[in-house]
Amino acid sequence: SDLTEAERTRDSHWLRQRPMEPRLRRSELIGGAAFLLAAGALALLGGSDGFSLGTAAIYVLAIAVASNVRFDVGPGFTVPTHAVFVPMLFALPPAVVPLLVLPGLVLGMVPDVLRGRIAPSWLLTAPSNSWFALGPALVLVLAHDTDPNGQVEILVLALAAQFGVDFVAAAIRDRLFEESPSLTGLVREVAPIYAIDFALSLVGLIVAFASASGYGQWPVALIAPLFVLLWVFSKERQERLEQLVELNDA
């Protein structure tokens, strides 16, 4: 129900304002270390030919901006980073993209940490939240395909790998807790989040097509109005959920 979702959202914000519990910290450290090992190995084996520091800086900053537009969905939340991540896969060597997503997510959390909205220990969640980038990057590296106008089946496989790797990582991470949901419960939780991510991935693919057509990396700036619109909607939704909880408490 809307009230249950509102209460979960309130609890989530309350929890993130406090230092991370030791059990959760251990889980995030393990998941983060595993991600760094996997992403580092992919970067070493996949190579970095065609890497541009300027282009990397643009997309890291764009990831940081996108990660600040938070939509609370059920017990979790999603951010529109996929609209930036997809063109990033084709603008840079895909093997190094997962390692670049990580600093983007960390940079996006810094303003909330400085304002006291998030405890510094929650920065440890950034590596674990970067697992989604590993699947599609691996597919593109193995397929030797860095053109968004390439084979459709490669694009479909990359998208499937994105959700598959992220889901498996989340399931394994949750199993490190005593109060972890069943796989069926986890599917119900992530289904609406993945639906939003799928739609945003299509937006990102359109940006990738525009960039590959000779417009350079400027088309990624066209996503900025979309982020502003989503930010307004997310604030309105957050305020509505907060009012709902306050009315129920009263």
Side-chain angles (χ1 to χ4, degrees), residues 9-17 70 72 117 238:
T9 299
R10 178 186 61 180
D11 293 343
S12 175
H13 286 284
W14 180 87
L15 184 65
R16 287 164 64 86
Q17 290 176 355
R70 167 173 168 151
D72 293 293
R117 296 178 180 175
Q238 182 177 343

Side-chain angles (χ1 to χ4, degrees), residues 23-140:
R23 185 176 57 182
L24 179 57
R25 186 182 295 114
R26 287 194 299 271
S27 173
E28 293 297 339
L29 285 172
I30 294 172
F35 169 78
L36 289 174
L37 288 174
L42 179 62
L44 289 175
L45 298 176
S48 58
D49 294 340
F51 178 81
S52 168
L53 184 59
T55 301
I58 290 173
Y59 278 98
V60 168
L61 181 60
I63 289 286
V65 172
S67 65
N68 275 278
V69 184
R70 167 173 168 151
F71 272 92
D72 293 293
V73 181
F77 67 94
T78 185
V79 290
T81 51
H82 290 75
V84 176
F85 168 67
V86 173
M88 185 180 184
L89 279 171
F90 300 102
L92 294 162
V96 303
V97 168
L99 286 178
L100 293 174
V101 168
L102 173 56
L105 294 180
V106 171
L107 184 61
M109 296 176 69
V110 169
D112 282 338
V113 171
L114 295 177
R115 287 193 290 260
R117 296 178 180 175
I118 299 177
S121 58
W122 286 88
L123 291 170
L124 294 174
T125 61
S128 294
N129 289 336
S130 302
W131 274 105
F132 74 91
L134 197 62
L138 179 61
V139 169
L140 294 182

Side-chain angles (χ1 to χ4, degrees), residues 90 136 139-140 143 145 147 150-160:
F90 300 102
V139 169
L140 294 182
D145 189 352
D147 184 359
Q151 303 179 52
V152 175
E153 55 268 27
I154 297 299
L155 297 177
V156 173
L157 184 59
L159 183 63

Side-chain angles (χ1 to χ4, degrees), residues 166-202:
D166 184 71
F167 181 82
V168 171
I172 294 175
R173 186 169 66 239
D174 287 346
R175 287 303 175 273
L176 298 176
F177 297 95
E178 296 178 1
E179 300 177 358
S180 59
S182 64
L183 287 179
T184 303
L186 184 59
V187 169
R188 285 196 298 267
E189 290 181 4
V190 302
I193 296 175
Y194 284 177
I196 296 174
D197 291 345
F198 173 75
L200 291 170
S201 295
L202 296 181

